[in-house]
């Protein structure tokens, strides 16, 4: 029987996921909230289902019986909860439930861990509002799964990079980064490896389980920017102190720089059987960039 897929939030990762599922023979649909989204998705050969997570009434016609749902939609940009997740779950009819839901969340729910290694047993401790919203989405889905018995998996995903998903414009502008000795630990995953993890979670993830998704080789954020610059043939960004950063970097960047952790991905490897294709930045960057002129 042909595998039925619905992608909610079909952006950069969702498009890559749709391509992979279609290669495997699945029937893929994606939620589209506007005519522009519909056109973009259909141009890529993806069937669309009309619906807007900010308009719950628009979700009533969704056909999800037996489908695997990949939920990649971000929460709203403000607040401490995720009404979009609640609207989606409330639209799921008891007599026509999906087979499984895979939620793509973020490792930001752990908060600052002082550079320690972090596995899935560590209690969440979100500090940024965006991380609170993500954790709220996780908990809403977990509660719904316990109530309905529908299988689900939660992927706490590291920073995503890949073709057309690199900070090249930032590097071209010469924006500064923290000096290496003050830069926090950060974690990465190549988009192709993330897609592999999503498929594995849909096929064999233990219901209700949380998985850290990363390449297992954290580096500092400064190292990341330097490696990208080298890979595309741009000068390394200037380095500044934490004190200087308070006035020179954006509040959003400062919030990322205030958290440091190293992700343990052993559960992903052992339970999902994911062997990442790009275990290091060197391997991953070589696969997705061409040297660029300054």
């Amino acid at each position: 029987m042909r595998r039925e897929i619905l992608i909610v939030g079909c952006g950069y990762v969702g498009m890559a996921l749709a391509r992979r599922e279609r290669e495997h023979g699945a029937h893929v649909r994606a939620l589209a909230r506007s005519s522009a989204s519909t056109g973009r998705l259909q141009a890529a050969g993806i069937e669309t289902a009309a619906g807007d997570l900010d308009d719950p009434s628009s979700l009533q016609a969704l056909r999800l019986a037996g489908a695997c749902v990949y939920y990649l939609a971000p929460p709203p940009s403000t607040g401490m909860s995720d009404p979009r997740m609640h609207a989606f779950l409330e639209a799921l009819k008891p007599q026509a439930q999906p087979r499984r839901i895979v939620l793509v969340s973020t490792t930001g729910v752990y908060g600052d861990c002082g550079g320690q290694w972090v596995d899935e047993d560590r209690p969440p401790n979100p500090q940024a509002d965006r991380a609170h919203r993500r954790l709220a989405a996780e908990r809403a889905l977990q509660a719904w799964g316990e109530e309905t018995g529908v299988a689900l998996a939660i992927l706490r995903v590291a920073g995503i990079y890949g073709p057309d998903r690199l900070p090249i414009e930032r590097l071209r502008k010469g924006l500064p980064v923290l000096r290496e000795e003050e830069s926090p630990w950060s974690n990465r995953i190549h988009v192709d490896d993330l897609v592999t993890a999503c498929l594995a979670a849909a096929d064999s993830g233990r219901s209700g389980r949380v998985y850290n998704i990363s390449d297992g080789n954290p580096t500092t954020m400064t190292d990341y920017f330097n490696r990208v610059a080298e890979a595309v043939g741009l000068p390394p960004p200037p380095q500044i102190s934490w004190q200087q950063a308070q006035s020179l970097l954006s509040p959003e960047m400062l919030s990322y720089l205030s958290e440091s952790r190293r992700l343990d991905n052993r559960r992903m490897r052992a339970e999902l059987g994911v062997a990442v294709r790009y275990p290091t930045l060197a391997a991953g960057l070589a696969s997705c960039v061409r040297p660029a002129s300054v």
Side-chain angles (χ1 to χ4, degrees):
M1 186 174 179
R2 196 178 186 191
R3 178 182 171 113
E4 292 289 331
I5 302 296
L6 177 70
I7 300 175
V8 179
C10 195
Y12 179 74
V13 175
M15 294 288 275
L17 184 54
R19 287 192 294 270
R20 189 85 67 85
E21 281 283 14
R22 290 176 66 204
E23 289 171 1
H24 293 174
H27 175 221
V28 178
R29 293 180 297 139
L31 194 68
R33 64 181 297 179
S34 66
S35 57
S37 295
T38 299
R40 175 179 60 86
L41 292 165
Q42 290 181 348
I46 302 171
E47 184 179 323
T48 58
D52 184 345
L53 295 173
D54 293 327
D55 178 9
S57 64
S58 71
L59 304 174
Q60 298 306 310
L62 284 179
R63 295 178 288 108
L64 294 175
C68 175
V69 176
Y70 294 107
Y71 191 101
L72 294 88
S77 58
T78 60
M80 302 288 278
S81 62
D82 186 357
R84 291 173 179 168
M85 173 62 81
H86 285 283
F88 178 74
L89 295 175
E90 288 174 7
L92 302 184
K93 299 173 179 60
Q95 69 275 19
Q97 298 286 20
R99 176 178 63 84
R100 177 181 290 260
I101 296 178
V102 176
L103 170 64
V104 172
S105 184
T106 173
T107 60
V109 300
Y110 292 117
D112 179 34
C113 303
Q116 295 179 353
W117 284 96
V118 176
D119 65 18
E120 295 86 349
D121 292 328
R122 188 182 184 102
N125 183 30
Q127 277 122 53
D129 287 355
R130 64 177 180 278
H132 279 282
R133 294 190 289 269
R134 293 287 191 169
L135 183 59
E138 287 188 14
R139 288 177 170 167
L141 179 60
Q142 287 170 323
W144 179 86
E146 291 173 1
E147 179 181 341
T148 62
V150 174
L152 60 94
I154 294 172
L155 310 185
R156 290 180 177 161
V157 179
I160 303 164
Y161 74 100
D164 302 316
R165 185 68 176 264
L166 297 172
I168 294 175
E169 190 58 33
R170 190 181 194 282
L171 291 166
R172 284 200 177 109
K173 291 178 179 178
L175 297 178
V177 296
L178 272 184
R179 58 189 184 189
E180 181 68 36
E181 57 268 31
E182 294 186 81
S183 186
W185 287 101
S186 64
N187 306 267
R188 304 288 159 191
I189 186 73
H190 191 286
V191 63
D192 289 350
D193 288 327
L194 172 55
V195 168
T196 297
C198 287
L199 282 136
D203 288 338
S204 58
R206 290 172 52 184
S207 184
R209 200 71 154 157
V210 174
Y211 298 94
N212 287 343
I213 307 299
S214 78
D215 62 19
N217 286 291
T219 68
T220 67
M221 195 170 288
T222 296
D223 179 68
Y224 172 66
F225 284 119
N226 286 339
R227 285 175 180 266
V228 173
E230 181 180 11
V232 301
L234 291 170
Q239 296 190 20
I240 58 175
S241 69
W242 178 251
Q243 183 176 2
Q244 291 172 308
Q246 305 307 301
S247 59
L248 294 175
L249 298 182
S250 69
E252 182 179 22
M253 178 59 74
L254 288 172
S255 72
Y256 284 116
L257 291 170
S258 66
E259 298 183 2
S260 180
R261 54 187 169 266
R262 289 179 283 178
L263 290 181
D264 184 328
N265 70 357
R266 284 178 292 181
R267 182 180 292 180
M268 176 193 79
R269 292 184 283 114
E271 293 187 12
L272 298 183
V274 174
V276 295
R277 184 177 181 183
Y278 303 108
T280 64
L281 277 174
L285 291 173
S287 76
C288 61
V289 301
R290 297 176 183 174
S293 60
V294 179

